[in-house]
Amino acid sequence: ILSVSCKKTNISSCCDGNPQVATIDSCVIAMPDIFTPNGDGINDMLFVLHRNIATIHLTVSKKFGKKVFETTDIATGWDGNIEGKEAREKEFSYTLDATTINGASLSLSGSVCIIRDNCAKGPVENCFFQSQFTGYAFDPTLLGESIENCE
């Protein structure tokens, strides 16, 4: 029997029910507010979801400003590690600037939480996982990860 210990991560600060999406014409960027780098192959990486985007600049930082990840490669995601070590379960901030194939600019900023456990304080149904974005629009009928509300 496999026993899973629950740490009851508090995710209420970044799962506020507002998916981060920016659009102009047929160009879209979107960011989930939670990812789960726990090695199960589901939502293990934080990627920029995009359509008709030419360039990006994504920066992820700790709450007080220390940069932990940065990329200008649209195919590169963050694995939840900082300097080769697993980041703790908590909230990080991000800024995302993109240029569309037509030369227009799009920007997003917000919060993203790392969850490595299967147990969370707060309403998990408000969290937006990468797998819930279909065609770069949010589809609330899709589930991202088996995370329970274990208050």
Side-chain angles (χ1 to χ4, degrees):
I1 296 175
L2 178 63
S3 171
V4 178
S5 63
C6 289
K7 291 182 276 189
K8 296 185 181 178
T9 304
N10 188 346
I11 59 172
S12 61
S13 60
C14 63
C15 294
D16 60 4
N18 295 308
Q20 294 292 310
V21 180
T23 64
I24 186 169
D25 298 326
S26 64
C27 306
V28 179
I29 53 174
M31 289 290 286
D33 60 4
I34 186 172
F35 75 114
T36 58
N38 57 11
D40 68 357
I42 304 169
N43 299 308
D44 282 339
M45 301 278 290
L46 177 68
F47 285 104
V48 175
L49 307 168
H50 60 89
R51 182 174 58 222
N52 295 330
I53 297 298
T55 66
I56 67 155
H57 182 209
L58 172 65
T59 303
V60 180
S61 302
K62 289 184 177 180
K63 193 171 186 174
F64 297 107
K66 181 182 179 198
K67 190 184 314 178
V68 298
F69 176 78
E70 184 173 28
T71 188
T72 57
D73 181 356
I74 206 158
T76 298
W78 183 37
D79 62 3
N81 290 330
I82 300 173
E83 297 175 355
K85 297 181 181 176
E86 288 185 352
R88 292 178 35 205
E89 290 186 330
K90 64 179 185 176
E91 178 182 356
F92 293 84
S93 60
Y94 71 85
T95 58
L96 171 60
D97 295 306
T99 305
T100 71
I101 57 173
N102 301 323
S105 296
L106 290 172
S107 295
L108 286 178
S109 61
S111 298
V112 60
C113 278
I114 289 180
I115 300 263
R116 295 185 187 274
D117 201 352
N118 71 336
C119 204
K121 292 181 190 175
V124 178
E125 63 271 10
N126 289 340
C127 299
F128 299 109
F129 297 89
Q130 181 174 337
S131 63
Q132 291 174 301
F133 289 89
T134 57
Y136 311 107
F138 176 68
D139 184 346
T141 64
L142 298 176
L143 298 176
E145 180 98 40
S146 180
I147 294 177
E148 302 173 23
N149 185 339
C150 308
E151 296 198 62

